[in-house]
Amino acid sequence: MIKLFFKLIVYRFYYYFGFPRILPVSYTVSVTNRCNSRCKTCNVYSLPNDQLSVKEYNEIFRKLGKKPFWVTISGGEPFLRKDLPEIISAIYRHCHPNIINIPSNGILTQRIVPMVRQICQRCPDIQIVVNLSIDGIGEQHDQIRNVPGNYEKVMATYRGLMRLKAPNLAVGIHTVISRFNVHSFPSIADGLLALNPDSYITEIAEERKELNNIGHDITPTALEYRSAIDFLLHRIRNRKFYGMNRITQALRIEYYNLVKKILRDQKQVIPCYAGVASCQIATNGDVWSCCVRAESVGNLRDNDYDFRKVWFSKEAKKLRRSIKRKECYCPLANASYTNIMLNIPSLIRIFIRSFIKW
């Protein structure tokens, strides 16, 4: 953690002055656009699915080396790839991040549980987090996801993962707050928290090029979101957390308050380090600063699978300048968590909540 803290200082220098050059700390790796859900908030399944192979991922991560701290494996539905354990093993072998996070719709119970067991065994000394996406209780979830029986299937997956009891596995639940569930969110949160997951997180539904849902009117209003998330904040503040879990919850409180401000002000509230400290590798090898802008600064296949060559290209530098000029804004969770860690006032508030006053 001390090493990470000093890295964060270097990222601030790189953001403001363009040196010293440094690779991201947080990577999102999209391994497929295929998905067996048909969510009202997402059309990723309708996009072309030009996937990198295990051999290509092995080359990318071999050349990248031990730079990532946090890697999120996204999709589509990552577990539709039968070679997912091999992809994650390549990341572990070459990069050895501290955390690998895998979101899933949880439908394929008979595949997900054995795969997660295998992944935990292959990566014994890092934290594996599986976040199951649940947007409602019972039929409401099925209607939002457009898959009959989805809720029962994800519940079976949740129970199966909890039974694994792998020492390096955390099983979380993730809810996308959209206009389809925002008014019933308090009952949803109550029901899901009652399951006692290792973590419970939410994210606001966004229109993204990556999800092919631009113009689909899925985002709740600022007032609707505030009402929903204030309920969750109340629940968090009235529960007791200890150790690292208390710090984690303090970080999430900061994130939820940040989202409220972004929706209210319609601008970057704190500096965005997407393109500096965080990035995304698309299914076809394109490198993005984030999945909201989804603007390629180069393709890894065209650059001998050398991430550095793409990351320090003229195109990447141009995109970083655009983000720094605040020509975009969004409440994207992955980027926002990194931004918060690089924002001194945010860190002070997290410290106060963690160690002084909740």
Side-chain angles (χ1 to χ4, degrees), residues 78-335:
F79 288 98
L80 284 174
R81 287 199 64 153
K82 294 180 180 180
D83 55 6
L84 183 63
E86 284 68 39
I87 295 172
I88 293 176
S89 292
I91 298 172
Y92 175 77
R93 184 168 59 254
H94 296 300
C95 301
H96 209 280
N98 291 59
I99 301 167
I100 293 180
N101 173 49
I102 315 168
S104 172
N105 60 29
I107 293 175
L108 301 173
T109 305
Q110 299 305 314
R111 176 182 292 186
I112 293 171
V113 175
M115 273 193 180
V116 171
R117 180 190 293 112
Q118 187 179 1
I119 290 166
C120 289
Q121 290 170 348
R122 290 187 180 192
C123 311
D125 56 346
I126 67 172
Q127 180 74 68
I128 304 296
V129 181
V130 178
N131 276 315
L132 299 175
S133 299
I134 306 178
D135 295 339
I137 305 297
E139 289 186 8
Q140 183 186 28
H141 178 68
D142 297 353
Q143 290 168 0
I144 293 173
R145 295 275 163 161
N146 279 313
V147 176
N150 191 334
Y151 185 76
E152 289 303 319
K153 291 172 183 176
V154 72
M155 284 294 100
T157 301
Y158 175 77
R159 291 190 293 269
L161 291 175
M162 294 299 279
R163 282 196 295 267
L164 289 179
K165 298 189 180 301
N168 59 332
L169 173 65
V171 183
I173 293 177
H174 174 274
T175 297
V176 175
I177 301 178
S178 69
R179 69 179 184 86
F180 306 108
N181 64 1
V182 65
H183 297 297
S184 53
F185 178 74
S187 62
I188 295 169
D190 272 341
L192 297 178
L193 285 168
L195 297 172
N196 293 314
D198 293 322
S199 66
Y200 178 63
I201 58 176
T202 73
E203 188 171 358
I204 190 167
E206 297 177 83
E207 296 180 19
R208 303 179 194 167
K209 182 179 177 182
E210 178 210 24
L211 303 179
N212 198 27
N213 62 1
I214 302 296
H216 283 220
D217 188 26
I218 59 174
T219 307
T221 66
L223 184 60
E224 289 172 331
Y225 177 80
R226 174 183 288 274
S227 176
I229 210 64
D230 280 351
F231 172 83
L232 183 58
L233 288 170
H234 175 75
R235 287 293 307 271
I236 291 173
R237 291 187 177 112
N238 281 279
R239 296 180 73 180
K240 291 185 178 181
F241 300 97
Y242 301 96
M244 183 56 69
N245 200 19
R246 187 177 176 90
I247 298 172
T248 301
Q249 294 302 326
L251 174 61
R252 289 192 179 132
I253 290 172
E254 189 67 19
Y255 167 66
Y256 295 141
N257 284 327
L258 175 64
V259 175
K260 289 193 292 185
K261 293 174 184 175
I262 292 172
L263 292 177
R264 180 195 66 200
D265 298 344
Q266 299 288 292
K267 66 178 183 180
Q268 282 188 31
V269 174
I270 61 175
C272 180
Y273 289 81
V276 174
S278 60
C279 69
Q280 181 151 342
I281 299 175
T283 56
N284 66 346
D286 280 342
V287 176
W288 301 338
S289 61
C290 69
C291 63
V292 175
R293 291 187 65 146
E295 297 175 18
S296 177
V297 296
N299 187 280
L300 293 170
R301 283 171 168 162
D302 299 333
N303 288 274
D304 197 29
Y305 303 102
D306 188 340
F307 184 87
R308 285 175 176 81
K309 190 182 295 185
V310 176
W311 195 243
F312 299 125
S313 66
K314 290 181 180 178
E315 292 80 6
K317 187 176 181 180
K318 182 180 177 181
L319 183 56
R320 278 191 278 272
R321 284 200 299 264
S322 171
I323 296 170
K324 186 179 176 181
R325 288 195 297 264
K326 300 186 177 182
E327 294 174 0
C328 58
Y329 67 90
C330 74
L332 178 67
N334 274 2

